[in-house]
Amino acid sequence: MSDKTIKLALVSALEDISKEDFEKFCHQLLDRREAPRVKRNRVENKSRLQIADVLVSHFTEEGALGVTVDLLKAIGCSNEAETLVTEAGGGN
């Protein structure tokens, strides 16, 4: 188990993906159909650190972890998703 908080693990995962994948991630976040939905102004032109803040404030830490893992997998970043689960102490 890692010493990282979920929020730090989210930041780390977002920093590990390319700029292009980060843009895809943000697009997928805006395109989510499930509630609660994230408003465009909370995502556009934001840094990876700011997006991690949005995820945690919008979904709580546990919810943000699940949403981030799902979105990473949806954009083809399964390795980063698995690393995030491990770093956040989820291990499943």
Side-chain angles (χ1 to χ4, degrees):
M1 185 153 155
S2 175
D3 290 335
K4 284 187 179 180
T5 65
I6 289 175
K7 186 173 177 179
L8 285 176
L10 292 173
V11 172
S12 179
L14 294 175
E15 287 176 342
D16 281 346
I17 62 176
S18 69
K19 181 179 180 183
E20 181 180 337
D21 284 337
F22 180 66
E23 290 172 5
K24 289 179 189 176
F25 179 90
C26 291
H27 178 77
Q28 289 289 327
L29 179 59
L30 290 172
D31 203 39
R32 282 182 79 251
R33 298 291 176 223
E34 298 87 16
R37 308 257 329 252
V38 178
K39 294 189 184 290
R40 184 169 300 280
N41 68 347
R42 303 267 336 253
V43 174
E44 283 186 337
N45 302 314
K46 302 292 192 248
S47 70
R48 288 160 165 81
L49 185 59
Q50 290 170 315
I51 293 298
D53 284 338
V54 168
L55 288 164
V56 170
S57 67
H58 215 72
F59 300 107
T60 75
E61 280 197 345
E62 290 297 325
L65 178 61
V67 167
T68 303
V69 167
D70 290 346
L71 294 179
L72 286 170
K73 288 179 179 178
I75 63 167
C77 294
S78 294
N79 290 341
E80 291 84 352
E82 295 304 319
T83 300
L84 172 57
V85 170
T86 302
E87 285 186 355
N92 46 342

